[in-house]
């Protein structure tokens, strides 16, 4: 246990920048670490070693414009690892603060993790002390992760995410998110404890009015192809999206920092097929239904009560210039459009 004085350069560790008006002058950090082994009468009966570490941070004090602020119990975290020569090491972890709780146990072949976050309390407490990457964050979330290696040496993993309605604001604007409910599952092939490829995967994210799902239909290689072996083709995948286009555009603007200068609105139902690997994503087929559709720029506005579309071909994110259009069909109440690539002389369609 020690008294830390962050004003001393030798004790400063910058994880987040302090607010300009905050001068932290004291706090207590406690670190306890140990390793033990129960020795039996013979070496063969000796138990595996157990190592543990616990960190506590609290009794923080700082000056803000002549006033003193305090944080008595900032965080408590511990980890315990037990291993042996014939078994994989097992672990148990926990982390607790007034806005966050993490708990987990298991080993590399079978384990679980759970987490709970209260964003209201997190923002209220941390904004007193630190410069945050957002202006406001309201709501809460909880998540879970489990994994298990089956008899075929495949890693079966799954997880879930639940949120309350969220409100986020930062330099790119603000957005109100509904309560989200998400789940994912994967089956991966292992070499020892190294993941070689994902055989199949499925992820969904749903709210009361919107949903997004991704389904991996074929194996996705995660490592370089060994010399002499044929490289796996892009893994087939299916994407389904249902929701209001203006919300999805707003999310891209908020989190991606991209503003195309065009405002799009309308309820969208999209289904797409394609392929994916570690280098690119391609779309080979897509069907969509927009009802209604509104596209606005500074110079014009286009409105349609309904628009249907279908695409077949190849759109490759790594080489957009070589987009192939076998068939593109767009229909609305006011116009229709059909297009395909022109035939190349000397070659059949």
């Amino acid at each position: 246990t020690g008294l830390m004085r962050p004003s001393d350069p030798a004790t400063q560790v910058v994880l987040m920048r302090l607010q300009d008006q905050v001068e932290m002058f004291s706090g207590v950090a406690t670190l306890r670490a140990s390793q033990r082994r129960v020795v039996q009468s013979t070496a063969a009966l000796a138990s595996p070693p157990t190592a543990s570490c616990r960190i506590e941070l609290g009794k923080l004090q700082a000056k803000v414009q002549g006033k003193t602020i305090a944080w008595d119990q900032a965080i408590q975290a511990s980890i315990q690892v037990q291993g042996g020569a014939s078994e994989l090491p097992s672990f148990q972890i926990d982390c607790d603060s007034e806005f966050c709780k993490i708990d987990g146990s298991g080993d590399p072949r079978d384990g679980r993790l759970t987490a709970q976050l209260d964003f209201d309390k997190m923002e209220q407490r941390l904004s007193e002390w630190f410069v945050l990457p957002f202006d406001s964050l309201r709501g809460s979330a909880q998540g879970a992760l489990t994994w298990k290696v089956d008899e075929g040496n495949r890693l079966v993993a799954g997880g879930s995410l639940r949120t309350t309605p969220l409100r986020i604001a930062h330099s790119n604007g603000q957005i109100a998110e509904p309560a989200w409910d998400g789940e994912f599952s994967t089956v991966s092939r292992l070499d020892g404890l190294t993941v070689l490829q994902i055989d199949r995967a499925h992820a969904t994210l749903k709210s009361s009015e919107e949903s997004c799902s991704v389904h991996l239909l074929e194996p996705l290689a995660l490592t370089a192809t060994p010399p002499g072996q044929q490289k796996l083709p892009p893994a087939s995948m299916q994407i389904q999206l249902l929701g209001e286009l203006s919300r999805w555009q707003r999310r891209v603007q908020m989190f991606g920092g991209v503003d195309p200068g065009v405002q799009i609105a309308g309820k969208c139902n999209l289904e797409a097929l394609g392929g994916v690997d570690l280098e690119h994503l391609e779309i080979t087929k897509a069907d969509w239904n927009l009802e209604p559709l509104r596209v606005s720029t500074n110079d014009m506005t286009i409105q349609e009560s309904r628009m249907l579309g279908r695409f077949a071909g190849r759109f490759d994110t790594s080489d957009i210039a070589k987009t192939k259009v076998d068939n593109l069909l767009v229909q609305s109440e006011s116009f229709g459009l059909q297009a395909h690539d022109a035939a190349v002389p000397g070659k059949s369609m």
Side-chain angles (χ1 to χ4, degrees), residues 53-56 75-80 91-97 100-105 112-114:
C53 179
R54 182 171 181 82
I55 299 174
E56 298 179 2
I75 191 170
Q76 299 177 2
S78 67
I79 179 169
Q80 180 173 295
F91 72 91
Q92 184 169 347
I93 65 172
D94 71 80
C95 177
D96 194 8
S97 74
C100 171
K101 182 172 181 57
I102 301 174
D103 180 71
S105 62
R112 63 167 188 87
L113 281 172
T114 61

Side-chain angles (χ1 to χ4, degrees), residues 27 131-132:
V131 177
L132 302 179

